[in-house]
Amino acid sequence: EALGVDPTKNVTLPESLGEGGNKKLSKRDGAKYVLEYRTEGYVPETLVNFLAFLGWNPGDEREVLTSEEFIAAFDIDRVGRSGAQWNDEKLDWLNKEHLKRMDTDAQHASIESFLTKDILNHVRYSADLLEKLAPLIIERIHKGIDITAMCEEGELSYFLDAPTVSRDGLCFKDTAFEDAQTALAEIVNVLEPIESWDIATIKEAVMAYADTLPSRGVALHAMRFALSGKAKSPDPFTIASIIGKEDTITRLTTKYA
């Protein structure tokens, strides 16, 4: 006032409430120092978006807003009086949505910042491999530390090195090992002539054979396990397209004692 400047109008937003929605959020409810969210791999746009919606909404069905969209949509009259409950599941979902909306360079940089040194320093790791893996990684995570967990649990290692595969692991349900071995041999036969090595072409060739079997799971499970060493992984067509034709054929023709 002494400077002749109109004072700013300050507003207190509703409190963030803990579990149950009947008390103020505290450390006992899992409240964190704000920089911990950055360390865990939440992007800034997520926190702005999430905090904005605690006690406010744009008046329409939108839930994922950029900072620019929030500024354009903000109206003080839409700020509620009641406190809003903190929800980690909603925060994770929102972060995944913002990760999906990132441009390619920012997305790749975000992923790389959480890859372990074993992955980053691997002789076969490259920008080209990251480009192929990025959609798979984004599909399976909610925040950056989920990527580190994937690395530590071996969820990315089979894209770099052939896995150790057991005979029993190749068998679908109670089928015999000989059935799995026969299926792998037939899959190799349909894959070897392929020149355009992409997911759609690989899938078409393999499924045409698998559909001739009493249970196509015999072929598809054996192929998945031979390529990844895991019963649960991205589909075998995707794995094959990423590791390339030569590695795919090599893994499918491994001799099991």
Side-chain angles (χ1 to χ4, degrees), residues 130-144:
L130 175 59
E131 184 176 359
K132 294 175 181 177
L133 289 178
L136 288 177
I137 292 174
I138 294 298
E139 179 184 340
R140 301 177 69 185
I141 67 160
H142 289 93
K143 51 189 177 292

Side-chain angles (χ1 to χ4, degrees), residues 44-53 63-66 94 98:
E45 293 80 5
T46 296
L47 283 188
V48 171
N49 192 163
F50 182 77
L51 293 172
F53 273 70
E63 293 187 274
V64 184
L65 297 180
T66 64
L94 200 55
H98 279 286

Side-chain angles (χ1 to χ4, degrees), residues 6-25:
D6 291 334
T8 57
K9 295 180 180 180
N10 299 310
V11 179
T12 299
L13 297 178
E15 289 183 335
S16 297
L17 304 178
E19 185 176 355
N22 53 16
K23 61 178 181 176
K24 184 178 178 180
L25 182 69

Side-chain angles (χ1 to χ4, degrees), residues 7 19 29 92 109 131 147 181 199 221 229:
E19 185 176 355
D29 300 302
D92 282 354
E131 184 176 359
I147 300 172
Q181 201 168 35
I199 295 175
H221 174 83

Side-chain angles (χ1 to χ4, degrees), residues 114 116 143-156:
F114 285 93
T116 59
K143 51 189 177 292
I145 58 172
D146 295 341
I147 300 172
T148 304
M150 287 178 67
C151 295
E152 293 173 345
E153 293 166 8
E155 293 297 324
L156 297 176

Side-chain angles (χ1 to χ4, degrees), residues 162-173:
T164 300
V165 178
S166 66
R167 290 168 56 112
D168 290 343
L170 289 168
C171 300
F172 179 67
K173 296 183 178 179

Side-chain angles (χ1 to χ4, degrees), residues 22-240:
N22 53 16
K23 61 178 181 176
K24 184 178 178 180
L25 182 69
S26 68
K27 288 186 177 180
R28 291 182 180 179
D29 300 302
K32 303 171 186 175
Y33 180 51
V34 67
L35 292 184
E36 288 185 62
Y37 290 99
R38 181 171 66 185
T39 301
E40 291 181 1
Y42 292 94
V43 298
E45 293 80 5
T46 296
L47 283 188
V48 171
N49 192 163
F50 182 77
L51 293 172
F53 273 70
L54 290 178
W56 173 86
N57 70 79
D60 52 40
E61 297 300 315
R62 289 179 296 169
E63 293 187 274
V64 184
L65 297 180
T66 64
S67 297
E68 291 76 15
E69 289 170 333
F70 165 60
I71 292 169
F74 185 76
D75 183 341
I76 194 68
D77 292 333
R78 298 204 62 83
V79 176
R81 295 181 180 275
S82 301
Q85 185 175 341
W86 188 275
N87 187 320
D88 283 329
E89 289 183 5
K90 184 62 175 287
L91 178 63
D92 282 354
W93 173 83
L94 200 55
N95 197 62
K96 187 181 189 74
E97 293 302 307
H98 279 286
L99 286 171
K100 286 158 55 175
R101 285 164 170 74
M102 280 182 169
D103 66 57
T104 300
D105 289 343
Q107 193 180 78
H108 290 183
S110 181
I111 291 172
E112 277 198 316
S113 67
F114 285 93
L115 291 173
T116 59
K117 290 182 179 179
D118 287 345
I119 298 291
L120 292 172
N121 295 333
H122 196 285
V123 66
R124 298 187 64 182
Y125 179 78
S126 65
D128 180 59
L129 178 62
L130 175 59
E131 184 176 359
K132 294 175 181 177
L133 289 178
L136 288 177
I137 292 174
I138 294 298
E139 179 184 340
R140 301 177 69 185
I141 67 160
H142 289 93
K143 51 189 177 292
I145 58 172
D146 295 341
I147 300 172
T148 304
M150 287 178 67
C151 295
E152 293 173 345
E153 293 166 8
E155 293 297 324
L156 297 176
S157 59
Y158 52 81
F159 290 105
L160 299 166
D161 296 306
T164 300
V165 178
S166 66
R167 290 168 56 112
D168 290 343
L170 289 168
C171 300
F172 179 67
K173 296 183 178 179
D174 57 352
T175 55
F177 168 69
E178 288 72 23
D179 293 333
Q181 201 168 35
T182 298
L184 291 179
E186 291 300 326
I187 291 171
V188 169
N189 288 338
V190 300
L191 291 181
E192 284 185 325
I194 294 177
E195 295 182 2
S196 178
W197 194 255
D198 56 71
I199 295 175
T201 307
I202 296 168
K203 182 175 182 178
E204 181 180 6
V206 174
M207 290 303 294
Y209 161 66
D211 285 337
T212 67
L213 301 175
S215 172
R216 62 186 186 183
V218 174
L220 300 183
H221 174 83
M223 181 181 180
R224 180 197 297 272
F225 203 85
L227 296 180
S228 68
K230 296 181 179 294
K232 294 183 179 180
S233 68
D235 67 75
F237 322 115
T238 299
I239 298 173

